[in-house]
Amino acid sequence: AQKVTQAQTEISVVEKEDVTLDCVYETRDTTYYLFWYKQPPSGELVFLIRRNSFDEQNEISGRYSWNFQKSTSSFNFTITASQVVDSAVYFCALSTNFGNEKLTFGTGTRLTIIP
Amino acid sequence: GAGVSQSPSNKVTEKGKDVELRCDPISGHTALYWYRQSLGQGLEFLIYFQGNSAPDKSGLPSDRFSAERTGGSVSTLTIQRTQQEDSAVYLCASSFGRGRNTEAFFGQGTRLTVV
């Protein structure tokens, strides 16, 4: 069975602060894929990143960065210099199939950026 | 269209009635997914269509739920004899599917309320 845990239910930070969203996953498969999605108030899930289990390199995209550590089964997401537009619910997800099939989602972290 | 389109955006129905939810995927996407987002259960996988293959129905919660995908494009999720616990946001997503290294794009969902 697979499981994704996002222990942080809600986080509030003041604009321009850095914030890290935690994600811990469980799977017995050796090949798997990890994802982060953003859900703004409009409701649609917006894809942010996908990582496969063989690629532990950290990734940076603008103000976003991801830290994948297999040793701790974690895939954490950091936003630097946060902005009000970053306010949303963020979901971490896991798939043990190629690509996108049957994503197992965490319960999400509601991030509020205070202006 | 430019994105995944779902209709209706909101549906209120009486307990015991049948409902149909529609999803128009992105043109050219061979894979289509249905997920359910509810307060108590978070985001749950329901069903997955890949091309002409038999769908993966392993996430459907009961035999009251069914889905079809006609012509490899539009999909309809049908819930028969709706119950109050069916109240949720039903999200559809599409992607280029297996063998293609792309992400899934989600629609804005249909909010179903069973009264």
Side-chain angles (χ1 to χ4, degrees):
Chain A
Q2 297 149 186
K3 185 178 180 181
V4 176
T5 301
Q6 294 180 257
Q8 303 152 310
T9 305
E10 295 190 28
I11 300 176
S12 294
V13 300
V14 177
E15 194 174 17
K16 297 184 183 178
E17 287 185 352
D18 299 348
V19 58
T20 296
L21 309 182
D22 298 334
C23 174
V24 175
Y25 62 91
E26 296 176 30
T27 179
R28 294 180 181 175
D29 290 78
T30 55
T31 300
Y32 51 89
Y33 298 82
L34 295 164
F35 303 76
W36 276 95
Y37 279 88
K38 175 182 180 180
Q39 187 175 42
S42 55
E44 80 277 18
L45 286 165
V46 178
F47 169 84
L48 296 178
I49 191 171
R50 175 173 63 190
R51 252 303 175 250
N52 72 56
S53 51
F54 298 109
D55 183 0
E56 285 194 75
Q57 281 191 340
N58 291 330
E59 182 156 340
I60 298 174
S61 176
R63 296 184 297 107
Y64 295 170
S65 63
W66 291 269
N67 185 314
F68 176 28
Q69 293 195 339
K70 290 179 76 170
S71 60
T72 55
S73 297
S74 66
F75 186 45
N76 296 338
F77 172 32
T78 297
I79 303 174
T80 58
S82 60
Q83 300 176 3
V84 173
V85 294
D86 297 327
S87 296
V89 180
Y90 290 86
F91 290 93
C92 181
L94 167 71
S95 171
T96 56
N97 304 282
F98 181 86
N100 310 289
E101 295 101 39
K102 300 177 69 170
L103 294 171
T104 298
F105 284 90
T107 50
T109 297
R110 181 177 298 279
L111 176 64
T112 301
I113 308 300
I114 304 166
Chain B
V4 177
S5 177
Q6 291 188 245
S7 61
S9 54
N10 281 283
K11 176 72 176 179
V12 180
T13 189
E14 292 181 353
K15 179 181 173 182
K17 301 280 189 183
D18 298 350
V19 295
E20 286 188 352
L21 312 180
R22 178 187 169 100
C23 173
D24 280 277
I26 292 172
S27 178
H29 281 186
T30 58
L32 186 146
Y33 320 79
W34 283 98
Y35 287 84
R36 178 170 73 172
Q37 185 173 21
S38 56
L39 280 176
Q41 301 296 326
L43 270 158
E44 307 170 273
F45 165 80
L46 296 178
I47 189 169
Y48 159 58
F49 296 89
Q50 170 59 58
N52 296 320
S53 303
D56 180 342
K57 305 178 182 180
S58 59
L60 294 178
S62 77
D63 58 8
R64 296 186 296 105
F65 288 72
S66 62
E68 292 185 342
R69 189 179 185 193
T70 54
S73 180
V74 172
S75 177
T76 301
L77 177 69
T78 300
I79 309 173
Q80 295 178 311
R81 305 181 302 282
T82 52
Q83 303 294 313
Q84 287 186 330
E85 61 262 29
D86 299 335
S87 296
V89 176
Y90 290 82
L91 292 165
C92 176
S94 70
S95 75
F96 282 112
R98 194 167 296 163
R100 298 286 296 272
N101 191 28
T102 63
E103 69 270 23
F105 292 85
F106 282 78
Q108 292 187 323
T110 293
R111 181 176 298 277
L112 175 67
T113 304
V114 182
V115 297

